[in-house]
Amino acid sequence: MRIFGKGRHRPSASWRQATDRAFTLIGDGRYEDAGALLTRAADLEPWLSESWFNLALLHKFRHDWEQARAAGLRAVALLDRETGAPDWWNVGIAATALQDWPLARRAWQAYGLRVPGGATESGEPAGMDLGSAAVRLSPEGEAEVVWGRRLDPARIEVLSIPLPSSGRRWGEVVLHDGVPHGERTTSSGHSFPVFDEIELWAPGSRHGPDRPGAAPP
């Protein structure tokens, strides 16, 4: 329940039914049908940030980044807290996919992350120093977890040699989701989060060894 002005507002039963049904359809991969229901929910309750957050999620699942950015911006405009909202993280992913660097920087800062002042010539946020992580390539296919270096909160540079079945290569940069799914522990006892790949962000510019393998950072 959120507070709007001086009154309290609960989503209508119709909104809840449409939203619940939409997420069931998303689980079945029926994105078009889910989109119709979530659009209806947003029409019913356009003042709820959740209406637009849910649409932004759907567009992220579909890799429709223009729509994800638009819905995400409507969601954050209705937030009742300043930092830490996952709505901003989704905006950051969409902005990164579109290489909308000013918006990406704004999203990470609004979420509460420190973004150093420097940027690359392209405008990408630089120097966030997020360290190493693992990424699950092809999470809905023949999933494979490899090591990588986090360039920012939504991108990892692959530093292992993936198996050919993954369709990825050493040195490529993948866009990844924000919530870790599991972790990997090195022989030294350090644990690293595992993120799910969303899509290839940039092809690799380097040539790695010609055999599969994975070396922890």
Side-chain angles (χ1 to χ4, degrees), residues 16-148:
R16 292 181 183 277
Q17 289 169 359
T19 301
D20 289 346
R21 176 58 178 159
F23 277 93
T24 297
L25 293 172
I26 288 173
D28 293 336
R30 297 172 58 185
Y31 294 148
E32 292 295 333
D33 293 335
L37 286 171
L38 290 179
T39 299
R40 178 173 174 242
D43 288 340
L44 289 169
E45 307 280 7
W47 45 82
L48 276 180
S49 64
E50 288 90 341
S51 294
W52 305 104
F53 174 80
N54 293 337
L55 271 172
L57 269 182
L58 172 67
H59 295 313
K60 181 181 74 172
F61 296 150
R62 298 175 63 186
H63 302 185
D64 185 341
W65 300 117
E66 293 282 358
Q67 292 296 325
R69 177 174 58 183
L73 286 172
R74 294 197 67 167
V76 297
L78 295 167
L79 289 175
D80 56 6
R81 57 174 168 157
E82 292 187 2
T83 61
D87 310 65
W88 276 113
W89 200 284
N90 282 336
V91 170
I93 292 174
T96 301
L98 295 167
Q99 301 185 42
D100 182 347
W101 301 123
L103 179 58
R105 178 180 292 272
R106 175 185 165 204
W108 305 135
Q109 290 173 329
Y111 186 80
L113 299 177
R114 180 177 174 275
V115 183
T120 64
E121 291 183 4
S122 67
E124 300 174 43
M128 294 188 73
D129 193 23
L130 298 176
S132 301
V135 60
R136 184 175 290 105
L137 304 175
S138 304
E140 297 182 4
E142 297 183 15
E144 177 188 4
V145 175
V146 297
W147 291 100

Side-chain angles (χ1 to χ4, degrees), residues 140-164:
E140 297 182 4
E142 297 183 15
E144 177 188 4
V145 175
V146 297
W147 291 100
R149 178 173 66 96
R150 300 187 71 187
L151 304 180
D152 56 38
R155 293 180 300 157
I156 289 179
E157 179 187 14
V158 176
L159 297 181
S160 295
I161 313 303
L163 293 167

Side-chain angles (χ1 to χ4, degrees), residues 173-189:
V173 177
V174 297
L175 191 72
H176 68 81
D177 222 336
V179 179
H181 283 170
E183 63 180 22
R184 290 293 185 272
T185 304
T186 65
S187 59
S188 63

